[in-house]
């Protein structure tokens, strides 16, 4: 009979140091680990985990002793680096400045997390002594060494520049930092048949209405869940998108078919504050829940592409272009500042490409 083994590991999960208890599928071990207070299962880690305390570690050894071999070779100490008190005060000032300038919550979170990682890297160095060379060193020894993405690299450098300009009143010359060229990635586009299959998949009228509205109006996920009932103007057949990306309002045409679907949804759910609400009345529907709805639709349709909600917006723009809509109108409908952003859809439109005859056909 094979000897059963559990593996203990210590790592940082969701910004906290956790004790992981790993083992193969076993109901008996599962029941044992659930005896630990606060034991949680993580789908990401594929493991049970608890708070990293001496008490929990002692309990784990006591519970599993004489029942299984315990592999604790990965149970190494983790040193959590904290930013200095000075840095914490300045980071708070920076956060307040971002809020006063009405930056979006997502941008504030991204910038503050970026600055925090930089300040942790130089936790022993006074902020006033940080120079351009320190930013270059951080770029090479932290960002590149950890193989972080080019977009993350640009985000961090931009955040550092803004932080020192607003809080420390010091100019950091980001041109001295080697910046990656942003890859010119084409948007992912679905065929009309694939879109129809996805939108036909939900049996729940709320789910159907949400996905259909994203595609029919080219909405971002955040724009959809922020919609309020009054934003649907059934008299003029338009949807008003308020405070979209870049703090801009815009309008987009409302399909008659979508209007009928929204009326059916409204009669059943009677939303109060937001057009699409979660389980609690008056609370907006979560983007995570909507992503799960899309995943269920993909399973039903057996579409194996890694479709994300934003693909529906890309598909809307591309299908408009292929049907002859002027690029300038598409730019307005999508809320793009620059026509260059919209022009990328010309690279994925197949309407003109299909007219080109391959020389292979003449062989």
């Amino acid at each position: 009979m094979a000897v059963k083994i559990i593996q203990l590991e210590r790592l940082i999960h969701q910004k906290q140091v956790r004790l992981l208890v790993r083992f193969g599928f076993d109901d008996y071990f599962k029941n044992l680990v659930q005896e630990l207070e606060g034991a949680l299962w993580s789908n990401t880690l594929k493991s049970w985990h608890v708070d990293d305390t001496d008490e929990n570690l002692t309990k784990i050894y006591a519970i599993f002793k004489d029942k299984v071999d315990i592999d604790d070779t990965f149970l190494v100490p983790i040193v959590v680096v904290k930013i200095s008190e000075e840095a914490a005060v300045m980071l708070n000032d920076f956060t307040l400045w971002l809020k006063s300038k009405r930056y979006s919550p997502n941008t504030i979170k991204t910038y503050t997390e970026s600055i925090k990682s930089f300040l942790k890297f130089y936790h022993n160095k006074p902020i006033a002594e940080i120079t351009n060379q320190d930013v270059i060193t951080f770029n090479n020894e932290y960002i590149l060494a950890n193989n972080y993405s080019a977009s993350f690299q640009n985000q961090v450098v931009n955040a550092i520049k803004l932080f020192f300009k607003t809080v420390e009143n010091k100019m950091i010359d980001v041109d001295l930092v080697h910046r990656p060229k942003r890859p010119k990635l084409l948007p992912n586009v679905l065929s009309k048949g694939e879109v129809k299959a996805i939108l036909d998949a939900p049996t729940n009228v709320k789910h159907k209405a949400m996905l259909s509205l994203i595609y029919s109006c080219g909405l971002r996920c955040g724009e959809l869940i922020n919609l309020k009932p009054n934003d649907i103007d059934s008299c003029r057949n338009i949807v008003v998108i308020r405070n979209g990306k870049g703090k801009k309002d815009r309008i987009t045409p409302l399909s008659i078919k979508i209007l009928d679907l929204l009326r059916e949804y409204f009669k059943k759910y009677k939303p109060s504050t937001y057009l699409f609400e979660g389980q609690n009345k008056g609370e907006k529907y979560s983007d995570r829940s909507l992503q799960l709805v899309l995943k269920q639709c993909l399973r039903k349709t057996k579409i194996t592409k890694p479709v994300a909600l934003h693909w529906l917006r890309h598909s809307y723009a591309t299908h408009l272009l292929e049907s002859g809509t002027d690029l300038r109108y598409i730019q307005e409908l999508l809320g793009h500042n620059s026509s260059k952003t919209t022009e990328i859809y010309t690279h994925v439109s197949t309407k003109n490409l299909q007219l080109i005859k391959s020389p292979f056909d003449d062989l």
Side-chain angles (χ1 to χ4, degrees):
M1 183 177 177
V3 177
K4 292 187 176 181
I5 299 174
I6 67 164
Q7 186 181 72
L8 303 183
E9 186 176 350
R10 184 180 280 113
L11 54 68
I12 295 175
H13 178 58
Q14 295 182 347
K15 300 179 184 178
Q16 293 182 334
V17 182
R18 307 289 288 176
L19 283 173
L20 270 61
V21 185
R22 297 185 186 274
F23 50 84
F25 180 77
D26 191 302
D27 282 333
Y28 177 61
F29 287 166
K30 178 182 173 182
N31 292 333
L32 287 177
V33 80
Q34 286 177 329
E35 292 179 17
L36 297 165
E37 186 176 350
L40 297 171
W41 169 260
S42 167
N43 279 322
T44 306
L45 301 172
K46 302 297 181 189
S47 174
W48 289 90
H49 57 95
V50 295
D51 287 336
D52 180 25
T53 64
D54 291 338
E55 182 183 1
N56 275 336
L57 191 57
T58 302
K59 282 183 179 179
I60 290 171
Y61 281 113
I63 289 171
F64 287 97
K65 187 177 66 173
D66 301 328
K67 298 181 180 72
V68 65
D69 281 354
I70 300 175
D71 177 5
D72 55 10
T73 53
F74 292 97
L75 202 62
V76 295
I78 291 180
V79 178
V80 179
V81 178
K82 295 183 179 180
I83 61 176
S84 66
E85 289 185 12
E86 176 205 19
V89 170
M90 298 184 80
L91 183 60
N92 184 61
D93 290 343
F94 182 57
T95 305
L96 292 175
W97 184 86
L98 292 172
K99 288 179 178 178
S100 71
K101 289 292 185 179
R102 301 296 181 94
Y103 279 73
S104 72
N106 283 340
T107 302
I108 292 172
K109 182 180 178 182
T110 300
Y111 274 26
T112 52
E113 290 297 323
S114 297
I115 293 299
K116 193 179 289 184
S117 63
F118 177 74
L119 296 176
K120 281 182 180 179
F121 190 81
Y122 287 110
H123 64 282
N124 288 325
K125 187 167 189 174
I127 292 177
E129 295 179 11
I130 290 176
T131 64
N132 284 317
Q133 185 56 47
D134 292 320
V135 180
I136 295 171
T137 301
F138 175 76
N139 182 54
N140 291 328
E141 297 184 9
Y142 179 78
I143 298 176
L144 298 181
N146 287 291
N147 200 29
Y148 290 129
S149 68
S151 60
F152 176 78
Q153 183 178 351
N154 279 318
Q155 278 178 355
V156 171
V157 173
N158 289 335
I160 291 171
K161 179 182 179 182
L162 187 60
F163 174 78
F164 280 97
K165 181 181 177 182
T166 57
V167 178
E168 187 64 10
N169 198 24
K170 178 194 292 185
M171 293 301 294
I172 294 290
D173 189 356
V174 295
D175 291 335
L176 297 176
V177 182
H178 296 148
R179 306 283 291 274
K181 280 189 177 180
R182 181 167 292 181
K184 294 183 180 180
L185 302 176
L186 294 176
N188 294 295
V189 176
L190 298 163
S191 69
K192 287 186 177 180
E194 289 171 322
V195 172
K196 186 177 187 306
I198 291 170
L199 300 186
D200 286 345
T203 54
N204 181 302
V205 67
K206 180 196 280 189
H207 298 164
K208 189 181 187 72
M210 294 177 83
L211 293 177
S212 298
L213 199 55
I214 284 181
Y215 172 71
S216 70
C217 298
L219 302 181
R220 300 177 179 94
C221 176
E223 292 171 344
L224 176 88
I225 61 179
N226 283 323
L227 284 176
K228 296 184 177 179
N230 289 338
D231 295 332
I232 306 297
D233 189 337
S234 57
C235 296
R236 298 170 62 203
N237 286 337
I238 61 170
V239 178
V240 182
I241 298 110
R242 304 185 191 278
N243 203 22
K245 191 173 181 180
K247 305 291 181 185
K248 293 179 299 183
D249 292 354
R250 70 180 193 279
I251 59 173
T252 184
L254 179 64
S255 159
I256 299 298
K257 286 172 65 177
I258 289 293
L259 186 55
D260 291 338
L261 181 61
L262 287 175
R263 283 173 174 154
E264 180 187 350
Y265 155 72
F266 205 92
K267 286 178 184 176
K268 183 172 181 178
Y269 286 91
K270 297 179 175 59
S272 57
T273 306
Y274 292 95
L275 181 61
F276 298 106
E277 296 177 335
Q279 292 181 344
N280 298 322
K281 201 79 171 172
E283 290 184 3
K284 68 175 73 171
Y285 203 87
S286 75
D287 55 354
R288 174 63 181 156
S289 296
L290 187 54
Q291 289 164 4
L292 293 175
V293 168
L294 177 62
K295 278 191 175 182
Q296 291 172 355
C297 294
L298 295 174
R299 280 196 291 268
K300 284 185 181 179
T301 57
K302 296 182 180 179
I303 293 175
T304 57
K305 296 176 182 177
V307 180
L309 290 167
H310 214 67
W311 287 33
L312 294 174
R313 175 174 157 90
H314 289 323
S315 301
Y316 163 81
T318 305
H319 296 162
L320 279 179
L321 186 63
E322 291 178 343
S323 65
T325 305
D326 188 271
L327 205 61
R328 172 62 186 162
Y329 290 127
I330 297 174
Q331 179 187 345
E332 289 292 330
L333 292 172
L334 295 178
H336 287 160
N337 274 330
S338 169
S339 60
K340 289 183 179 179
T341 309
T342 317
E343 284 168 7
I344 192 169
Y345 294 107
T346 62
H347 300 293
V348 289
S349 172
T350 61
K351 183 178 180 181
N352 293 327
L353 285 176
Q354 290 172 351
L355 300 177
I356 299 173
K357 184 180 179 182
S358 169
F360 181 82
D361 295 339
D362 296 327
L363 297 179

